[in-house]
Amino acid sequence: MVGKKSGKALLREEGLERTDNNLDLTTWPQVNMINQKNYYTEFLKRDDQFLAYRTQAEEARNRMVREARDKDRALAQGVHTEGTTDVADEGAVDETTVAIGSKEAYASKLIILHVGSQNLRIGLGTDALPKSVPMVIARKWKENESEEDGGEPRPKRQKVDGVIPADAYPEKWFGDDFANQYQTMCSELRTRMRTNKRRVLPNSKELVINYNRRTPPEIISEHNDSNRIEWTEIPTNPKDAPDFLTGQAALRIPEESNPRYKLFWPIQHGTFNEKDYFDRNQLYHDISKIFEEAFRTQLGITKPKDLANFNCVFIIPDLYERIYVTIMLDILIRDLGLGKVCLQQESLSATFGAGYSSSCIVDIGAQKTSICCVDEGLCIEESRINLKMGGADVTETFIKMMLFDHFPYADMNLKRRYDFLLAEELKQNFCSMDESSVTVQTLDFYLRASGQDTRKYFFKTYDETMLSPMGFFKPAIFDHSYKLERRRKVIPRSVDLYDGAPNDPLSNAQLMVIESAAGKSPSVNGTQESSNSLAVNSTPSRSQQYSLLSRLNDVEVTPRSSVAGSPGPEGTPNPDQDTPAGGDTGGSLTFRDPVLEKTKQAEERDKTLPIMSIDQAILESLSQGARGDDRKLRDFFGGIMLIGGGSKTPGLATFLENRLRELRPFYGKEILVGPPPRELDPQVLVWKGGSVFGKLSSSGNDSWISRAEYDMLGNRLLVNKCMFAW
């Protein structure tokens, strides 16, 4: 019988005995387990751990050192040159001089950019007013814009029995819908004028039509025209012709040029133009070229490398699209090479320019109208509204009404460059919202086209000059058929980095506008007429739970319990999914995907054009901006400011003020609609506010994005750099 072996013998025989010298297997330090009961970390808990804040602190420290060095140098020079002068007094004078000089030097290196759908406002911080440059680029093309689509004119003439009616029947050019709306607006205006004791002639329309129909133009030879236009000269050799032209030179290219040029407007309705572009890189390149040429021609910056020494304040819409902001920032910093860029919202810049602390800003641009309440230096998020209509719609409607009434220049086509400029001139000279101007007037204009003799036309107008800007209050008269073409076909919408859900900002006021445009009966006037609304799917806020205008209209505002059940957590079965009678589910359940639901809601919103009468939109914005505070609502009613090129229509502010008083008679004394103070041009007020904001001291302005920071973190910096919630 074999005896039992000891443990050591087994280890030795089996080869399991340890034979090393107790040395560690590696020199890598071993980390002990964390005590889960009490441990502490400072990761991302101090400002100096963020690159944005750390860079700002370093710049402030370097600036203090530089200013101290400059002060010492100034004191030393003062003592050396003025031996008997008091050192303290001389130092104080030199310090003030150095400070003023440094501010002027800083402002001379500051660029303010305000991009619009039709014009670009650009200037330096030392400029009192900006330069206006058409936001357009002309490129070599096989045909110009007026020759596309078979030469179809704009406004579009509708065909009857396959052909466009002759010049003798212009009332059939735009269809029965436009004719009925136009006649209805004419009748309403006559009724309103009779109510206001205005004289109305019964045969005014017949006088206008008969005069326009039989009045031929006068021909003026070119050498007798003192105000002839200098057209852009194109070299006779097509190979020597430039590849592109920008600004005013692009609008003055002759239509029959060789080679042909086509105009491209990269910004449309306040965002990127996806209707005329099929390549996003071409769109970005055109914007970059327009900026670069504006820097060279308007600011005198001829060398691109010099832009690294300039800072730029870029003004963005209040209700912006994230992809628009990030792409513009990338163009300014990486493509153009600017040193620093700061983002500022339009309405906030308007209050900076006007010197107001609280106001309701109504910005009527060429192709969009934005409304926003600003309170104590911040845009109230839920009050932001972006309407896709503006002064360009007024221009087109004015021309349609004039053609309807037998305008003598029946061949007007807004796709032609000289006709487009002529239409803008006619609108600015003759359109008015003042009822006293609604009389039969005899007017004239000059038609100047390249290679043709100047023609002087005489025509009469009656109510067309007032009914066309009346479209702001009756937007159905505008043509909206093309405004959603190719939407999201070239540039996709912005999505969240983590879950892929759409993350563009959206306000309660904008949701009400979309619901109204979609015919879902929103609470535009304060009364909720339908429970089926897109606002139910948005994040609830205090402004949704309590509406001031609802209280004004004696509507019960006490929150009630919802009839529908609360939604279950993610991954739970859908309670609305019914099981077929007698059917077997087989254990399969329908799950809700919150990202998919948000995407579907965003797609549904994109199918609806946000359009609403401007007076109703202002009331909706005010109700969301006041948040149930009656005192704040009265302050906003007394601080409505009209800005933008569309606001320069004579009588618009008075007409809007009367409409608001009719809708809210209890606030008749508080309602005040006015232009910018100190006789500032409403077109440049936003740019002026951006200039004021950009010249603030860097210690109080931490929103500058430098090239080094952007190269390291990209647009993730915007979370820490924007003064608004990104």
Side-chain angles (χ1 to χ4, degrees):
M1 181 175 180
V2 180
K4 185 178 180 180
K5 296 183 179 180
S6 64
K8 290 184 177 182
L10 288 174
L11 290 175
R12 184 170 58 254
E13 293 177 0
E14 298 294 334
L16 299 177
E17 184 179 10
R18 182 170 179 172
T19 58
D20 59 359
N21 52 2
N22 294 327
L23 293 177
D24 293 333
L25 298 178
T26 177
T27 58
W28 190 265
Q30 297 182 5
V31 180
N32 297 326
M33 296 292 293
I34 296 177
N35 184 358
Q36 298 291 335
K37 292 186 177 180
N38 61 359
Y39 69 94
Y40 179 75
T41 178
E42 293 186 352
F43 179 67
L44 296 182
K45 290 188 176 181
R46 298 195 310 268
D47 288 346
D48 57 2
Q49 294 173 335
F50 290 90
L51 177 65
Y53 296 108
R54 187 167 63 249
T55 305
Q56 178 189 353
E58 292 175 357
E59 290 182 354
R61 187 163 51 250
N62 294 335
R63 184 176 61 255
M64 291 176 60
V65 173
R66 185 169 58 253
E67 291 177 354
R69 189 180 296 121
D70 293 341
K71 179 181 177 181
D72 293 342
R73 184 182 298 110
L75 286 172
Q77 292 176 355
V79 172
H80 179 73
T81 56
E82 301 291 341
T84 59
T85 305
D86 187 4
V87 176
D89 294 342
E90 184 70 23
V93 173
D94 288 344
E95 182 180 357
T96 305
T97 305
V98 170
I100 295 175
S102 61
K103 288 182 180 180
E104 291 181 353
Y106 173 76
S108 65
K109 297 294 184 180
L110 178 65
I111 301 174
I112 298 92
L113 280 177
H114 182 204
V115 178
S117 302
Q118 190 164 308
N119 290 301
L120 167 67
R121 316 285 181 191
I122 184 173
L124 296 174
T126 53
D127 297 337
L129 295 174
K131 284 93 172 175
S132 295
V133 181
M135 190 67 189
V136 63
I137 183 170
R139 290 193 171 275
K140 286 182 179 179
W141 215 254
K142 58 183 179 181
E143 55 186 3
N144 59 42
E145 57 275 8
S146 63
E147 297 172 343
E148 289 186 329
D149 301 328
E152 183 180 18
R154 181 181 171 197
K156 182 178 180 180
R157 276 73 158 170
Q158 296 188 6
K159 296 182 179 180
V160 178
D161 296 331
V163 295
I164 297 177
D167 293 350
Y169 304 97
E171 59 271 4
K172 298 181 180 180
W173 282 354
F174 309 113
D176 296 335
D177 189 18
F178 176 81
N180 294 334
Q181 293 185 39
Y182 183 28
Q183 298 297 336
T184 302
M185 293 178 68
C186 292
S187 301
E188 292 177 352
L189 180 60
R190 285 197 298 268
T191 304
R192 182 184 181 90
M193 293 180 65
R194 290 193 182 100
T195 305
N196 296 335
K197 309 300 182 183
R198 299 279 186 184
R199 184 183 179 185
V200 179
L201 296 177
N203 60 341
S204 299
K205 278 289 185 183
E206 288 75 9
L207 291 174
V208 170
I209 293 175
N210 293 332
Y211 182 87
N212 292 340
R213 183 182 296 169
R214 69 172 187 267
T215 305
E218 291 183 5
I219 306 300
I220 302 175
S221 58
E222 185 177 359
H223 64 273
N224 289 330
D225 186 6
S226 59
N227 296 323
R228 58 182 177 270
I229 297 174
E230 297 295 334
W231 301 95
T232 302
E233 295 184 3
I234 303 297
T236 55
N237 187 1
K239 295 182 179 179
D240 297 335
D243 293 334
F244 66 91
L245 290 168
T246 63
Q248 195 67 30
L251 294 177
R252 293 302 185 186
I253 299 177
E255 299 287 331
E256 304 296 331
S257 63
N258 184 23
R260 290 286 196 273
Y261 282 86
K262 180 184 176 182
L263 298 185
F264 290 91
W265 303 82
I267 305 298
Q268 190 176 58
H269 307 298
T271 185
F272 293 124
N273 181 3
E274 298 178 272
K275 177 177 176 291
D276 299 326
Y277 283 89
F278 295 88
D279 184 7
R280 69 182 68 178
N281 292 327
Q282 187 65 45
L283 176 62
Y284 307 159
H285 185 67
D286 283 359
I287 296 175
S288 178
K289 283 298 180 183
I290 293 174
F291 288 167
E292 186 177 346
E293 289 297 312
F295 292 155
R296 183 180 62 85
T297 59
Q298 305 299 325
L299 304 183
I301 306 174
T302 58
K303 298 180 180 179
K305 62 180 181 180
D306 293 341
L307 289 174
N309 302 322
F310 286 82
N311 300 336
C312 176
V313 176
F314 187 76
I315 300 172
I316 64 173
D318 304 320
L319 195 60
Y320 53 86
E321 293 182 0
R322 283 174 174 259
I323 194 72
Y324 172 83
V325 177
T326 55
I327 289 175
M328 284 295 192
L329 186 62
D330 194 76
I331 290 174
L332 293 173
I333 293 183
R334 289 185 176 166
D335 291 357
L336 299 178
L338 286 164
K340 291 182 180 180
V341 176
C342 173
L343 302 177
Q344 177 74 307
Q345 290 175 295
E346 287 179 341
S347 294
L348 187 58
S349 295
T351 56
F352 270 96
Y356 292 165
S357 60
S358 298
S359 180
C360 177
I361 305 297
V362 182
D363 187 356
I364 306 176
Q367 297 182 9
K368 76 173 179 65
T369 298
S370 61
I371 305 171
C372 180
C373 295
V374 181
D375 186 25
E376 300 298 335
L378 288 176
C379 294
I380 301 178
E381 296 181 6
E382 300 301 336
S383 69
R384 297 175 294 177
I385 289 179
N386 192 317
L387 305 177
K388 302 303 182 182
M389 64 179 184
D393 295 289
V394 176
T395 303
E396 183 175 354
T397 305
F398 177 60
I399 298 302
K400 289 174 71 173
M401 291 180 176
M402 294 300 300
L403 291 173
F404 190 91
D405 293 337
H406 294 257
F407 191 53
Y409 180 35
D411 194 32
M412 175 166 277
N413 181 6
L414 295 183
K415 289 184 178 180
R416 285 198 292 256
R417 296 151 200 169
Y418 58 86
D419 281 350
F420 168 75
L421 296 175
L422 174 63
E424 288 289 331
E425 182 182 354
L426 293 177
K427 179 194 70 173
Q428 295 173 7
N429 292 339
F430 304 135
C431 285
S432 174
M433 293 289 289
D434 189 0
E435 290 184 0
S436 61
S437 65
V438 183
T439 57
V440 178
Q441 306 177 63
T442 303
L443 307 171
D444 63 80
F445 68 91
Y446 293 86
L447 175 63
R448 298 178 175 92
S450 177
Q452 302 178 18
D453 289 333
T454 302
R455 284 169 283 175
K456 183 178 182 180
Y457 284 89
F458 295 91
F459 66 101
K460 283 189 176 183
T461 63
Y462 177 53
D463 54 4
E464 303 90 349
T465 56
M466 182 172 181
L467 292 181
S468 51
M470 185 75 75
F472 287 132
F473 304 90
K474 294 182 180 295
I477 196 67
F478 293 153
D479 183 12
H480 308 297
S481 59
Y482 62 93
K483 295 182 179 180
L484 287 179
E485 289 184 11
R486 294 180 50 80
R487 178 70 170 152
R488 307 292 186 190
K489 298 297 183 183
V490 179
I491 301 175
R493 75 166 52 85
S494 176
V495 295
D496 190 81
L497 182 63
Y498 297 100
D499 60 6
N503 60 354
D504 280 329
L506 188 66
S507 66
N508 290 337
Q510 185 73 4
L511 278 172
M512 296 299 179
V513 172
I514 295 175
E515 290 177 7
S516 175
K520 294 187 178 181
S521 300
S523 57
V524 177
N525 294 326
T527 54
Q528 186 72 26
E529 299 175 7
S530 173
S531 59
N532 182 16
S533 65
L534 294 173
V536 175
N537 297 323
S538 62
T539 304
S541 63
R542 290 180 295 177
S543 58
Q544 285 177 318
Q545 298 171 4
Y546 188 84
S547 173
L548 176 63
L549 294 182
S550 297
R551 181 168 63 83
L552 297 177
N553 291 335
D554 297 329
V555 178
E556 183 181 2
V557 296
T558 304
R560 296 182 178 180
S561 59
S562 176
V563 178
S566 301
E570 299 180 14
T572 57
N574 189 352
D576 298 332
Q577 185 73 24
D578 297 332
T579 303
D584 184 11
T585 59
S588 63
L589 297 176
T590 302
F591 291 88
R592 299 175 55 190
D593 187 352
V595 177
L596 181 60
E597 290 182 0
K598 292 180 181 178
T599 304
K600 288 182 178 179
Q601 293 170 13
E603 291 175 353
E604 288 298 323
R605 290 194 296 265
D606 285 342
K607 295 178 182 178
T608 304
L609 188 69
I611 292 294
M612 178 186 285
S613 63
I614 193 171
D615 50 350
Q616 298 285 3
I618 291 174
L619 293 179
E620 189 61 47
S621 177
L622 292 175
S623 66
Q624 299 292 345
R627 299 170 182 169
D629 189 348
D630 184 72
R631 180 178 299 178
K632 184 174 293 186
L633 179 65
R634 294 178 184 273
D635 292 341
F636 286 147
F637 265 130
I640 300 176
M641 184 167 60
L642 283 178
I643 63 173
S647 67
K648 300 180 72 173
T649 304
L652 177 59
T654 304
F655 188 89
L656 176 60
E657 188 174 304
N658 294 333
R659 286 292 294 262
L660 293 176
R661 287 174 178 171
E662 292 174 4
L663 294 174
R664 292 292 176 267
F666 297 107
Y667 292 88
K669 296 181 180 180
E670 286 83 3
I671 295 176
L672 180 61
V673 180
R678 302 187 300 276
E679 297 183 356
L680 291 172
D681 187 354
Q683 290 181 291
V684 303
L685 182 68
V686 174
W687 182 93
K688 191 69 175 178
S691 176
V692 172
F693 176 79
K695 287 184 286 189
L696 295 175
S697 61
S698 300
S699 59
N701 185 357
D702 57 354
S703 55
W704 290 102
I705 301 173
S706 66
R707 175 69 180 271
E709 294 173 314
Y710 190 78
D711 288 341
M712 187 176 297
L713 296 179
N715 53 39
R716 288 176 292 173
L717 274 170
L718 295 176
V719 177
N720 298 321
K721 290 292 187 177
C722 291
M723 298 180 62
F724 45 89
W726 173 254

